[in-house]
């Protein structure tokens, strides 16, 4: 444990549960209007805090949860060198494949559209917080779309390895990859695992972990200091086509069949999950029915989105056609018996 703390805090700082004392540091005991205290220390220009975002604001009627961000915006990277010429993957590692000139333009255009959307209905105190894939094309997309936002509008950014592209197996043999993709079409896009790589099911597993991290961040309002959280925060996830489709599948509990019917997002495209009237995130708050159908969503998925629009966090849709009656074949027979 001592080794762990020595990596987090400089050696000249001693930490215990009661008091911090050090001649070379300035120690402050901070309190808010509710007399809640936390310790912080300034050392060599750095402010070290005891994770103040975990101190939820106290109220006379109990703990006040921070407001949920207004939107979760999913962005696919701009056109990459690999999108234009798949032979690139035979000589360049997938994480190092960058954007084309067109991809840069697409990313910049995405940033302008995003800002226009936010300003149209975002409140004066809106900000953006980014999660980004560590792949080069993801970072380059982030940097170019972020040109539309001044420093004061960017609350933060986190590089998130779990948002990386599906692993197709290190350097790729072009002809062998054609064979593998043909086999995948026969086997099934979700479960087929590329040799030395991943299946979409594998991506689902790591996205499940990221989703739990994201939900935790939302619950504690990690994006802004305690007491300063705004309901007009926008979370932006910059990632890859399949990864984002799997994220939506996991979030909305779509089936494998429904996932396999989805179409890829365009390079530099956005899908917006906006906070509905009850507080849940819904696709139909921003997108039209026609847009969602073009994405590949079925009537059952669209009906569920209408429920998402008015439901509250934690509520269950007991009449959901996705997770309920569609799995069973004997209900129609029972209904006929009751009709008789």
């Amino acid at each position: 444990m001592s080794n762990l703390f020595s990596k987090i805090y400089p050696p000249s700082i001693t930490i215990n549960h009661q008091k911090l004392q050090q001649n070379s540091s300035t120690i402050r005991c901070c309190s808010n209007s509710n007399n809640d205290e936390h310790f912080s220390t300034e050392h060599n220009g750095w402010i070290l805090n005891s994770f103040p975002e975990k101190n939820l604001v106290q109220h006379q009627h109990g703990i006040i949860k921070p407001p949920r961000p207004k939107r979760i915006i999913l962005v696919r990277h701009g056109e990459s060198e690999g999108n234009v010429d798949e032979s690139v993957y035979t000589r360049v590692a997938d994480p190092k494949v960058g954007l084309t000139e067109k991809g840069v333009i697409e990313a910049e255009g995405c940033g302008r559209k995003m800002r226009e959307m936010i300003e149209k209905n975002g409140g004066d105190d809106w900000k953006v917080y980014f999660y980004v894939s560590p792949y080069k094309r993801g970072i380059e997309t982030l940097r170019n779309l972020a040109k539309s936002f001044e420093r004061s509008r960017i609350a933060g950014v986190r590089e998130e390895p779990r948002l990386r592209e599906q692993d197709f197996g290190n350097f790729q043999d072009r002809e062998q990859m054609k064979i593998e993709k043909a086999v995948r079409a026969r086997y099934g896009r979700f479960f087929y695992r590329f040799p030395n790589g991943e299946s979409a099911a594998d991506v689902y597993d790591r996205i499940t972990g990221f989703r739990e991290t994201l939900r935790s961040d939302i619950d504690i309002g990690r994006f802004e200091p305690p007491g300063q959280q705004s309901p007009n925060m926008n979370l932006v996830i910059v990632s890859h086509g399949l990864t984002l489709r799997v994220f939506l599948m996991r979030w909305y509990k779509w089936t494998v069949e429904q996932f396999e019917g989805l179409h890829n997002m365009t390079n530099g495209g956005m899908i917006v999950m906006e906070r509905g009237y009850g507080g849940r995130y819904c696709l139909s708050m921003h997108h039209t029915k026609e847009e969602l159908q073009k994405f590949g969503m079925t009537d059952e998925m669209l009906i569920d989105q209408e429920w998402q629009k008015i439901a509250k966090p934690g509520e269950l849709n007991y009449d959901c056609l996705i997770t309920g009656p569609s799995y069973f074949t004997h209900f129609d027979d029972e209904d006929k018996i009751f009709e008789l």
Side-chain angles (χ1 to χ4, degrees):
M1 183 64 71
S2 60
N3 291 335
L4 174 62
F5 275 92
S6 66
K7 293 179 181 178
I8 299 176
Y9 299 96
S12 60
I13 296 179
T14 302
I15 296 179
N16 59 49
H17 292 294
Q18 296 180 346
K19 193 174 183 181
L20 294 171
Q21 291 184 339
Q22 176 66 347
N23 294 332
S24 62
S25 301
T26 301
I27 310 299
R28 296 195 302 272
C29 179
C30 304
S31 61
N32 57 26
S33 60
N34 298 309
N35 295 321
D36 300 319
E37 296 184 347
H38 72 273
F39 291 105
S40 67
T41 176
E42 181 176 334
H43 180 78
N44 294 335
W46 290 90
I47 303 297
L48 305 177
N49 290 298
S50 59
F51 303 102
E53 69 272 14
K54 292 186 177 180
N55 301 327
L56 298 178
V57 177
Q58 297 285 335
H59 187 269
Q60 61 179 346
H61 299 298
I63 294 177
I64 299 178
K65 280 192 173 184
R68 291 164 67 85
K70 186 175 183 63
R71 301 178 186 89
I72 301 175
I73 305 171
L74 311 183
V75 175
R76 185 188 176 199
H77 63 79
E79 180 186 79
S80 72
E81 297 165 342
N83 293 138
V84 176
D85 179 10
E86 291 188 355
S87 69
V88 168
Y89 297 115
T90 66
R91 58 184 183 273
V92 180
D94 197 0
K96 297 180 180 179
V97 173
L99 297 181
T100 63
E101 291 184 8
K102 180 181 178 182
V104 171
I105 294 173
E106 288 172 338
E108 292 175 343
C110 177
R112 290 191 293 270
K113 291 178 182 177
M114 187 182 301
R115 174 151 191 158
E116 181 181 353
M117 173 189 67
I118 294 173
E119 287 185 328
K120 185 176 180 181
N121 184 23
D124 295 335
D125 61 344
W126 65 265
K127 289 187 178 183
V128 290
Y129 186 99
F130 297 100
Y131 294 88
V132 61
S133 161
Y135 279 30
K136 183 178 179 180
R137 54 191 180 273
I139 299 295
E140 289 180 344
T141 298
L142 167 68
R143 287 173 175 162
N144 283 286
L145 74 83
K147 292 177 182 178
S148 294
F149 304 97
E150 56 268 29
R151 182 187 294 267
S152 62
R153 293 295 188 181
I154 299 177
V157 60
R158 187 186 310 176
E159 184 177 286
E160 177 51 75
R162 289 172 292 185
L163 291 174
R164 67 188 184 276
E165 175 65 287
Q166 178 183 6
D167 188 349
F168 293 101
N170 303 323
F171 291 105
Q172 300 170 23
D173 181 282
R174 188 175 184 180
E175 294 305 316
Q176 184 61 35
M177 185 55 64
K178 290 181 180 178
I179 296 174
E180 297 297 341
K181 289 184 176 180
V183 175
R184 179 181 65 175
R186 299 201 314 268
Y187 191 91
R189 296 181 62 87
F190 187 76
F191 292 111
Y192 182 77
R193 179 181 288 119
F194 286 88
N196 301 313
E198 290 181 306
S199 65
D202 295 322
V203 178
Y204 185 96
D205 291 341
R206 59 174 158 91
I207 282 298
T208 294
F210 168 71
R211 173 181 175 272
E212 295 309 308
T213 298
L214 179 62
R215 290 186 62 177
S216 176
D217 288 349
I218 291 173
D219 287 343
I220 66 175
R222 190 184 294 277
F223 318 106
E224 293 177 287
Q228 300 179 28
Q229 291 102 336
S230 166
N232 296 312
M233 174 62 68
N234 297 269
L235 307 184
V236 183
I237 299 176
V238 182
S239 186
H240 308 264
L242 180 134
T243 306
L244 293 174
R245 297 199 307 276
V246 169
F247 175 85
L248 288 168
M249 174 192 184
R250 180 64 183 88
W251 190 279
Y252 292 115
K253 301 177 178 64
W254 292 339
T255 66
V256 171
E257 181 179 359
Q258 288 165 336
F259 165 81
E260 292 185 334
L262 297 175
H263 304 297
N264 208 359
M265 299 167 59
T266 59
N267 289 115
M270 291 189 303
I271 287 185
V272 180
M273 304 163 60
E274 187 166 324
R275 195 177 64 232
Y277 304 115
R280 294 176 74 103
Y281 293 105
C282 172
L283 297 174
S284 59
M285 287 293 295
H286 176 80
H287 297 283
T288 65
K289 178 181 178 181
E290 291 71 26
E291 287 174 334
L292 297 178
Q293 287 176 326
K294 186 177 180 180
F295 180 50
M297 292 179 60
T298 64
D299 290 341
E300 290 81 5
M301 298 161 79
L302 294 173
I303 291 171
D304 181 62
Q305 286 301 311
E306 291 304 308
W307 177 84
Q308 300 279 350
K309 186 183 292 187
I310 61 174
K312 298 178 180 178
E315 290 184 345
L316 294 176
N317 184 1
Y318 293 100
D319 297 320
C320 179
L321 296 174
I322 296 174
T323 58
S326 62
Y327 280 88
F328 308 104
T329 59
H330 65 284
F331 290 150
D332 288 342
D333 294 334
E334 290 183 356
D335 292 340
K336 291 179 181 177
I337 292 174
F338 290 132
E339 289 175 2
L340 294 175

